[in-house]
């Protein structure tokens, strides 16, 4: 927050997970079980670091939490492009929509014009 925008609401948005620790891989995720586990660990560490940084900065951390893990690359309804579709490992339209919904839900009522 700054003197120029003392009432600003700063939000840090989490990343959609590419994999969950229980994923087995698929054609759009050409990784073996060790690579999937390592990727899940890196994601978890990154997510924790972002949460801590947001907390330390006293800003809002926005994430879909466990819901996002239902939509990894190999899930029946992925929110991420896989290796062979779109921009690899970036959100697809459904993923972008989910992220946008989380952001809108995190906006405080005072900024939405609600009392």
């Amino acid at each position: 927050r700054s003197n120029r925008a003392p009432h600003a609401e700063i939000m840090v948005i989490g990343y959609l997970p590419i994999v969950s620790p229980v994923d087995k891989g698929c054609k759009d995720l050409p990784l073996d079980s060790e690579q999937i586990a390592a990727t899940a660990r890196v994601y978890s560490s990154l997510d924790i670091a972002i949460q801590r940084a947001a907390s330390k900065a006293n800003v809002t951390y926005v994430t879909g939490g466990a819901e996002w893990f239902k939509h990894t690359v190999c899930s029946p309804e992925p929110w991420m492009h896989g290796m062979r579709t779109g921009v690899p490992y970036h959100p697809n339209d459904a993923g972008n929509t989910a992220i946008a919904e989380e952001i809108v839900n995190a906006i405080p009522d005072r900024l939405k014009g609600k009392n």
Side-chain angles (χ1 to χ4, degrees):
R1 305 194 201 322
S2 73
N3 292 336
R4 293 175 67 184
H7 302 292
E9 184 69 28
I10 300 169
M11 296 182 190
V12 176
I13 314 307
Y15 289 98
L16 290 174
I18 296 170
V19 300
S20 81
V22 299
D23 284 341
K24 303 295 183 209
C26 61
K27 68 178 173 113
D28 272 334
L29 186 73
L31 303 176
D32 63 32
S33 60
E34 287 182 24
Q35 293 168 321
I36 289 172
T39 301
R41 284 191 303 274
V42 168
Y43 173 84
S44 179
S45 296
L46 177 62
D47 191 55
I48 290 167
I50 294 169
Q51 286 181 44
R52 286 181 180 161
S55 178
K56 185 176 181 180
N58 198 30
V59 300
T60 302
Y61 177 65
V62 179
T63 181
E67 179 65 23
W68 285 6
F69 280 98
K70 297 176 185 175
H71 300 281
T72 59
V73 170
C74 295
S75 72
E77 295 179 31
W79 287 351
M80 299 281 287
H81 291 290
M83 182 57 107
R84 295 172 172 82
T85 59
V87 178
Y89 310 125
H90 283 75
N92 59 25
D93 289 344
N96 283 323
T97 298
I99 292 167
E101 288 172 356
E102 291 294 336
I103 293 168
V104 169
N105 290 337
I107 296 171
D109 286 346
R110 66 180 169 77
L111 296 178
K112 292 179 185 177
K114 298 177 182 179
N115 295 328

